[in-house]
Amino acid sequence: MSSPRNSPSPSTSSYENAPTRSVSVHGEKFAYRELGPEDGVPLILLIHLAGVLDNWDPRVVDGLAARRRIIAFDNRGVGGSSGSTPDTIESMARDAVLFIRALGFDEVDLFGLSMGGFIAQVIVAQEPHLVRKVILAGTGPAGGPGIDKVPALSIQATLKGALTRQDPKLSLFFTESADSQRAGRAFLERLKERTHNRDKDISLPSFRAQLKAIKKWGRQVPSDLSGIRQPVLVANGENDRMVPSQNTRDLAARLPRGELVPLYPDAGHGGIFQCHDEFVPRALEFLES
Amino acid sequence: MSSPRNSPSPSTSSYENAPTRSVSVHGEKFAYRELGPEDGVPLILLIHLAGVLDNWDPRVVDGLAARRRIIAFDNRGVGGSSGSTPDTIESMARDAVLFIRALGFDEVDLFGLSMGGFIAQVIVAQEPHLVRKVILAGTGPAGGPGIDKVPALSIQATLKGALTRQDPKLSLFFTESADSQRAGRAFLERLKERTHNRDKDISLPSFRAQLKAIKKWGRQVPSDLSGIRQPVLVANGENDRMVPSQNTRDLAARLPRGELVPLYPDAGHGGIFQCHDEFVPRALEFLES
């Protein structure tokens, strides 16, 4: 059981209305949003490449917040967080730990999506006493196949998206099928539900620093995951073209207490958003078991 | 005096309503729009990097079409034109000549903007008898200073624009001043005036081919412009950060019959759009003198 040293935040009914707060970490301001019950082990959300607070699907956050205390935050130098964005996953993990401790927590659950999942793996390996349970989605281990291609793929999709005035997440997070594309457009609409106090978009230098960090992670020597004793729930779509789905299976197999959610059919990197109806109860069950 | 071999097109009152036609050139379909009086030497518009038919400012086209026959077209493999986009300016110039001849013209005026200005320079050098007068805007000679940086600058601005959901043309075509940015937003709104039968956006492979062509042009040995006998009107903003304005002055100085429009103050690469009120009468005067 963990409780913050700071004064408790008033509980908020939905992510759409959650105020954006900040906490000082070594002189830098870290932006975050909090909602859900005020007690219990908080679930810290670790976002994907280029993501800010507004990139979390409100259905997923609200679904989890119905029963868990949820805290989403911006990485250093991204969105509402000040400072300059580091270009290694290790450094992002150190930031996340400092942020968690700055809020006064000594035990948390982690939910890392894509790059956030890389960060979560480093946190749990380096600060095992801080972490109770982990959820990894659309992610892979250091050195996992195809991860070093994420930067080139992301730049390509971003340029293409700019030329065709389409959000690159449609092609990066969803499959080409009509169903998945429809789900993608619905997801993009949900991301717009919050209309006030939206977060700042990522800057180009921060985006580049993250791309560099991801490339290094993809080229890193595979780490030994056998020392991770926490329960880890691993989820993804079966057709992830960013962090190939094979990485998800590989994580589940190599983590001693890894638990694989059957890969979502006709879904990609954004599988947990596309299939939020299935993912949310499964994640809650995992966190509460 | 030139007249098309094909049946004359019905005259159209505005670029917004100009039908998109096509003509076959060596088995490829070239998309174009035509408006203005049906007689007189037609003015062929040569568009900028990534541009399609919908990238011409309707105020400029309509202004010129009030007195001149105007024909805008899509380069090979771009927008509504089929085929694959060449990666040299020389090859684009060959395409343009084939397109002009396919429409049955044996004498035209050229109006090239940025990359379109590179193409116009090659056409006039290689097909001097085809060209009567030339207008060059926001462009420069082969090997001109800074032109080889256009691809990197364009990619950077496009990525930044995608991350911040802002049209990259705002930063590439206009200065940072409040006035120029306001003019930029007004220009972007004008580009949306046409709501039906809009052109297809450029594809990523075609964009890349054009970037390659521009980089080669920027690194080319300067060509001898002293053989160009046509009158050439040269215009630009005084703060062009894409094709630095020095190139505009240089063109006017090196072209035997070059005529420099005083550079538009507090305007950039899109100076002729920002200052369309001044540019249009100046261009008409030049074409009709």
Side-chain angles (χ1 to χ4, degrees):
Chain A
M1 176 72 192
S2 152
S3 63
R5 282 193 299 266
N6 303 349
S7 61
S9 330
S11 74
T12 306
S13 58
S14 75
Y15 194 56
E16 183 182 346
N17 297 312
T20 306
R21 304 162 193 279
S22 73
V23 61
S24 175
V25 177
H26 286 202
E28 298 295 357
K29 185 186 83 169
F30 274 65
Y32 69 99
R33 291 185 194 147
E34 178 173 351
L35 74 166
E38 280 166 43
D39 55 356
V41 178
L43 178 66
I44 309 294
L45 310 191
L46 299 147
I47 190 70
H48 59 73
L49 166 67
V52 297
L53 293 169
D54 294 325
N55 284 93
W56 286 108
D57 187 338
R59 287 309 162 279
V60 168
V61 180
D62 290 345
L64 296 171
R67 301 219 307 255
R68 311 295 305 176
R69 180 177 193 167
I70 307 292
I71 296 170
F73 75 105
D74 276 330
N75 291 308
R76 182 147 56 99
V78 181
S81 291
S82 67
S84 81
T85 300
D87 62 5
T88 65
I89 298 298
E90 289 65 27
S91 188
M92 295 177 193
R94 272 194 299 277
D95 285 341
V97 169
L98 291 171
F99 164 75
I100 290 165
R101 296 210 186 280
L103 285 183
F105 299 118
D106 52 26
E107 186 179 39
V108 296
D109 294 332
L110 299 176
F111 172 18
L113 172 59
S114 189
M115 184 187 80
F118 308 157
I119 300 171
Q121 291 174 64
V122 175
I123 298 174
V124 71
Q126 303 203 337
E127 301 277 342
H129 300 297
L130 183 64
V131 183
R132 192 185 69 117
K133 292 185 175 187
V134 182
I135 301 173
L136 297 176
T139 194
I147 297 177
D148 65 338
K149 307 280 192 312
V150 167
L153 198 64
S154 302
I155 289 175
Q156 186 182 40
T158 304
L159 287 175
K160 189 173 170 179
L163 297 173
T164 56
R165 277 161 287 194
Q166 202 175 60
D167 193 306
K169 288 191 283 295
L170 267 186
S171 70
L172 290 172
F173 283 24
F174 298 87
T175 76
E176 289 179 347
S177 80
D179 282 350
S180 188
Q181 287 294 302
R182 199 175 309 118
R185 287 189 296 272
F187 162 69
L188 294 176
E189 285 308 308
R190 295 197 294 275
L191 294 189
K192 293 180 199 157
E193 285 176 3
R194 183 183 178 106
T195 52
H196 62 288
N197 290 326
R198 286 184 66 88
D199 204 0
K200 250 179 72 182
D201 293 307
I202 194 171
S203 70
L204 186 54
S206 291
F207 179 61
R208 287 204 159 127
Q210 291 186 341
L211 292 176
K212 209 165 157 186
I214 292 172
K215 186 174 263 183
K216 283 183 206 157
W217 179 263
R219 292 187 173 171
Q220 215 166 291
V221 176
S223 26
D224 178 16
L225 302 177
S226 69
I228 295 176
R229 312 316 303 179
Q230 284 81 351
V232 184
L233 187 72
V234 191
N236 202 2
E238 69 179 10
N239 307 110
D240 188 337
R241 60 185 287 260
M242 289 199 85
V243 179
S245 306
Q246 175 190 347
N247 286 287
T248 301
R249 289 191 204 94
D250 188 34
L251 276 176
R254 285 166 55 192
L255 286 160
R257 298 180 66 191
E259 206 175 312
L260 181 67
V261 180
L263 297 180
Y264 300 117
D266 190 25
H269 196 59
I272 59 158
F273 296 147
Q274 178 172 333
C275 305
H276 60 88
D277 274 349
E278 295 162 62
F279 170 71
V280 168
R282 185 69 191 79
L284 286 173
E285 181 198 329
F286 166 77
L287 293 171
E288 294 174 346
S289 67
Chain B
M1 178 70 192
S2 150
S3 63
R5 285 192 299 265
N6 303 349
S7 60
S9 331
S11 75
T12 305
S13 58
S14 74
Y15 194 55
E16 183 182 344
N17 297 310
T20 306
R21 303 163 193 280
S22 72
V23 62
S24 176
V25 177
H26 286 203
E28 300 295 356
K29 186 186 83 170
F30 274 65
Y32 70 100
R33 292 185 194 146
E34 178 173 352
L35 75 167
E38 279 167 44
D39 55 356
V41 179
L43 178 66
I44 308 293
L45 310 190
L46 298 147
I47 190 69
H48 60 72
L49 165 67
V52 298
L53 293 168
D54 295 324
N55 284 94
W56 285 108
D57 187 339
R59 286 310 161 281
V60 168
V61 179
D62 290 345
L64 296 171
R67 303 219 305 255
R68 311 294 305 175
R69 179 178 193 166
I70 306 293
I71 296 171
F73 75 104
D74 277 329
N75 291 309
R76 181 148 54 99
V78 181
S81 291
S82 67
S84 82
T85 300
D87 62 4
T88 65
I89 298 298
E90 289 65 27
S91 186
M92 294 177 195
R94 273 194 298 277
D95 285 340
V97 169
L98 291 172
F99 163 75
I100 291 164
R101 296 210 186 280
L103 285 183
F105 299 117
D106 51 27
E107 186 180 39
V108 296
D109 293 333
L110 299 177
F111 171 17
L113 172 59
S114 189
M115 183 186 80
F118 308 156
I119 299 171
Q121 291 172 65
V122 175
I123 297 174
V124 71
Q126 302 204 338
E127 303 277 341
H129 301 296
L130 182 64
V131 183
R132 191 186 68 118
K133 293 186 175 187
V134 183
I135 302 173
L136 297 176
T139 194
I147 297 177
D148 65 338
K149 306 280 193 309
V150 167
L153 199 63
S154 302
I155 289 175
Q156 186 181 39
T158 305
L159 288 175
K160 190 174 169 177
L163 296 174
T164 56
R165 276 161 287 195
Q166 203 175 58
D167 194 306
K169 287 192 283 295
L170 267 185
S171 70
L172 290 172
F173 282 24
F174 298 85
T175 78
E176 290 179 347
S177 80
D179 281 351
S180 188
Q181 286 295 302
R182 198 175 308 118
R185 287 189 296 272
F187 162 69
L188 294 177
E189 285 308 308
R190 295 198 294 276
L191 293 189
K192 294 180 197 156
E193 285 175 2
R194 183 184 177 105
T195 52
H196 61 287
N197 291 326
R198 286 184 67 87
D199 204 359
K200 249 178 73 181
D201 293 307
I202 193 171
S203 70
L204 186 55
S206 290
F207 180 62
R208 287 207 160 126
Q210 291 186 341
L211 291 176
K212 209 166 156 186
I214 292 172
K215 185 173 265 184
K216 283 183 207 158
W217 178 262
R219 292 186 174 171
Q220 215 166 291
V221 176
S223 26
D224 177 16
L225 302 177
S226 69
I228 295 176
R229 312 316 302 178
Q230 285 81 351
V232 184
L233 186 72
V234 191
N236 203 2
E238 69 179 11
N239 307 111
D240 188 336
R241 58 184 289 259
M242 289 198 84
V243 179
S245 307
Q246 174 188 348
N247 286 287
T248 301
R249 289 191 204 93
D250 189 35
L251 277 176
R254 285 167 55 193
L255 286 159
R257 298 180 67 190
E259 205 175 314
L260 180 67
V261 180
L263 297 180
Y264 300 117
D266 190 23
H269 196 60
I272 58 158
F273 297 146
Q274 178 172 334
C275 305
H276 59 89
D277 274 350
E278 295 162 63
F279 170 70
V280 168
R282 185 69 191 80
L284 286 172
E285 181 198 329
F286 166 77
L287 293 171
E288 293 172 348
S289 66

